[in-house]
Amino acid sequence: MFQYQCLNPISKVGLDGFTNDYTKTEEIEKADAILVRSASMHEMKLPENIQAIARAGAGVNNIPLQDCAEQGIVVFNTPGANANGVKEMVIAGMLLASRDIVGGVEWVKQEKDNENVGKLAEKQKKQFAGCEIKGKKLGVIGLGAIGAMVANTAIYLGMEVYGYDPYISVDTAWKLSREIKHIANVEDIFKECDYITLHVPLLDSTKGMISKDSIAMMKDGVVLLNFSRDLLVDETALIDALETGKVKKYVTDFANPTVAGAKNTLVTPHLGASTAESEDNCACMAVKELRDYLENGNIHNSVNYPNCDMGICGVAGRIAINHKNVVNMISQFATVLGGAGMNISDMTNKSKGDYAYTLIDLETPATQEIIDKLDEIEGVLKVRIIK
Ligand SMILES: NC(=O)c1ccc[n+]([C@@H]2O[C@H](COP(=O)([O-])OP(=O)(O)OC[C@H]3O[C@@H](n4cnc5c(N)ncnc54)[C@H](O)[C@@H]3O)[C@@H](O)[C@H]2O)c1
Ligand SMILES: O=C(O)[C@H](O)COP(=O)(O)O
């Protein structure tokens, strides 16, 4: 039996993926796993019983990844599961920044009691006129799940698309339209593009990537779209650029006091992934990842531990060990198991950065005594009997 806690509301369609062996708990001391969306976990103390955290979404900047790894807690996210929802918002954002649709709708509302509203509209509409996005240059920074979809869609909409991602995955590269111009220096995006959209994770290396200096390189009247994270942009510098018209519009999905009432901003309350489809997709993927980890010890889509798969646990015994990526660990595991007369039938060891993971199949069920001995080895962070 397993217990899970939800730190945010999680789609029922996803939670229905848990079998009767799972129950929901409100007590973190009883939970084996946590499901979360954007709730910040940085101030939380995570008890030893937590085995895994699944972020039903893409961004993991709300989770202390390194601390979790040190505690042997595997953190998952759900790559691509909400990408289409965000892509549609970005396209909507480009259109809203190009035509004053919001202003026009507000104007009609104000004139709701005017019986000549139709006639008046024909006189007034010129103040809401705009431009089309077809033929304009769009710069996409970050060509992952969302950036790639935005870039391809913009090609279909007749835009000239410039793509920048020095770490692009081979899988994503295969999915990109050949019409997208590969940009090797991000400054070329700043200098050339009429619209610039950000699709990178918030990391130390990306924080503030849109700075006063990068804004100065941009074309006059550029539109900046940020559906990634607010801290990617020096928003104080941006507000100055919006005041002067250097930046025509800032479309952002992250409401904060700096941008909420600022001139020429279109701010949405973090709605990118808030569609029934994205919420269901993310929850289904998150539940699947947790179940495979808890029931079989397999890891798929972890952001702090390596992927590892030994299939469904149909053997007599299986042990999962989360440990530091240092020398001599496997021989120590083998010594403990051999000393207890336990024969290893299969094993996998994988590493990611400073952390590693070992799954060991045994010809006899694992015992608590063995687990305690393995736990004593220096560098071992967590040991778990899967069977
Ligand atoms: N507004 C929303 O509701 C919403 C929804 C989903 C994701 N997001 C945000 O969008 C981000 C991207 O999501 P995704 O699903 O596309 O993630 P992803 O991991 O598929 O793609 C991120 C891409 O950024 C690239 N990258 C990393 N550093 C870079 C850099 N310095 N310059 C250029 N490219 C760089 C990576 O190589 C990767 O291809 C998430 O991290 C999250 O912060 C927001
Ligand atoms: O990183 C993400 O997946 C998005 O920012 C969505 O966040 P949410 O699940 O809180 O809507």
Side-chain angles (χ1 to χ4, degrees):
M1 292 295 282
F2 298 105
Q3 298 199 46
Y4 63 90
Q5 188 184 21
C6 296
L7 299 183
N8 293 105
I10 302 292
S11 135
K12 183 179 175 309
V13 174
L15 295 181
D16 284 348
F18 282 129
T19 60
N20 291 337
D21 286 342
Y22 289 78
T23 50
K24 193 172 172 184
T25 179
E26 298 303 326
E27 294 170 67
I28 197 163
E29 292 74 21
K30 291 193 178 154
D32 301 287
I34 289 176
L35 282 146
V36 64
R37 283 181 65 175
S38 284
S40 176
M41 298 185 68
H42 287 286
E43 305 306 321
M44 284 176 71
K45 196 169 160 15
L46 295 168
E48 237 179 72
N49 46 288
I50 301 296
Q51 311 289 345
I53 297 168
R55 197 298 190 213
V60 284
N61 55 302
N62 54 322
I63 305 171
L65 303 181
Q66 167 86 14
D67 292 352
C68 287
E70 267 310 307
Q71 279 187 259
I73 299 171
V74 176
V75 181
F76 299 90
N77 73 349
T78 60
N82 57 21
N84 191 64
V86 183
K87 174 202 81 182
E88 291 186 4
M89 279 286 281
V90 175
I91 302 299
M94 277 200 286
L95 297 171
L96 292 174
S98 309
R99 322 269 296 259
D100 193 3
I101 298 168
V102 175
V105 169
E106 282 305 315
W107 179 86
V108 174
K109 267 194 207 155
Q110 276 166 29
E111 299 297 328
K112 67 181 186 333
D113 298 325
N114 184 344
E115 55 186 40
N116 291 320
V117 61
K119 248 187 180 173
L120 194 60
E122 295 310 325
K123 280 193 186 154
Q124 296 292 326
K125 67 182 180 187
K126 59 179 173 296
Q127 62 179 301
F128 307 112
C131 66
E132 298 178 19
I133 59 174
K134 187 176 175 194
K136 304 295 184 304
K137 288 181 183 159
L138 169 68
V140 183
I141 300 180
L143 292 163
I146 300 168
M149 278 191 180
V150 169
N152 285 340
T153 306
I155 291 284
Y156 299 134
L157 292 171
M159 299 185 85
E160 213 180 305
V161 180
Y162 289 51
Y164 171 77
D165 188 335
Y167 319 106
I168 192 168
S169 74
V170 174
D171 270 358
T172 312
W174 273 106
K175 289 180 197 147
L176 285 181
S177 159
R178 292 166 75 177
E179 289 176 51
I180 295 163
K181 289 190 179 60
H182 171 205
I183 300 299
N185 184 345
V186 72
E187 292 186 5
D188 292 338
I189 296 239
F190 298 150
K191 289 176 194 158
E192 297 291 329
C193 293
D194 305 299
Y195 296 77
I196 297 174
T197 186
L198 303 176
H199 299 293
V200 298
L202 178 62
L203 306 168
D204 288 344
S205 57
T206 56
K207 198 172 176 182
M209 73 188 298
I210 302 299
S211 62
K212 193 177 174 187
D213 291 345
S214 45
I215 294 169
M217 281 182 236
M218 292 177 192
K219 279 171 128 174
D220 291 344
V222 65
V223 170
L224 181 66
L225 300 114
N226 181 3
F227 283 82
S228 281
R229 288 294 179 260
D230 52 1
L231 294 179
L232 295 169
V233 177
D234 174 350
E235 289 184 333
T236 309
L238 187 78
I239 298 295
D240 293 344
L242 286 160
E243 286 291 337
T244 62
K246 169 81 187 170
V247 175
K248 183 172 119 186
K249 285 264 193 261
Y250 180 45
V251 186
T252 173
D253 204 15
F254 304 97
N256 63 41
T258 311
V259 297
K263 188 177 166 187
N264 292 328
T265 53
L266 284 166
V267 189
T268 43
H270 198 185
L271 290 181
S274 292
T275 64
E277 295 84 348
S278 286
E279 291 179 3
D280 290 351
N281 286 342
C282 290
C284 288
M285 199 188 278
V287 167
K288 206 171 158 206
E289 292 163 350
L290 287 180
R291 281 195 57 192
D292 202 16
Y293 183 64
L294 294 174
E295 295 168 32
N296 303 308
N298 296 327
I299 302 181
H300 286 284
N301 300 326
S302 171
V303 289
N304 64 348
Y305 270 90
N307 283 342
C308 183
D309 193 335
M310 294 246 298
I312 290 171
C313 183
V315 290
R318 182 175 285 182
I319 299 173
I321 311 173
N322 305 56
H323 55 96
K324 290 272 184 71
N325 183 19
V326 290
V327 291
N328 209 23
M329 297 304 283
I330 300 184
S331 62
Q332 293 185 79
F333 302 156
T335 304
V336 169
L337 292 164
M342 306 195 83
N343 201 24
I344 296 174
S345 59
D346 199 359
M347 70 174 289
T348 308
N349 169 266
K350 301 276 183 200
S351 65
K352 180 171 180 148
D354 291 339
Y355 300 94
Y357 186 68
T358 302
L359 266 183
I360 303 174
D361 279 356
L362 300 164
E363 288 181 353
T364 43
T367 62
Q368 191 55 48
E369 197 190 337
I370 290 297
I371 297 305
D372 293 343
K373 279 198 177 143
L374 290 168
D375 219 0
E376 280 167 16
I377 297 171
E378 200 181 332
V380 167
L381 302 166
K382 218 177 196 54
V383 188
R384 194 160 58 98
I385 299 180
I386 307 286
K387 200 173 178 188

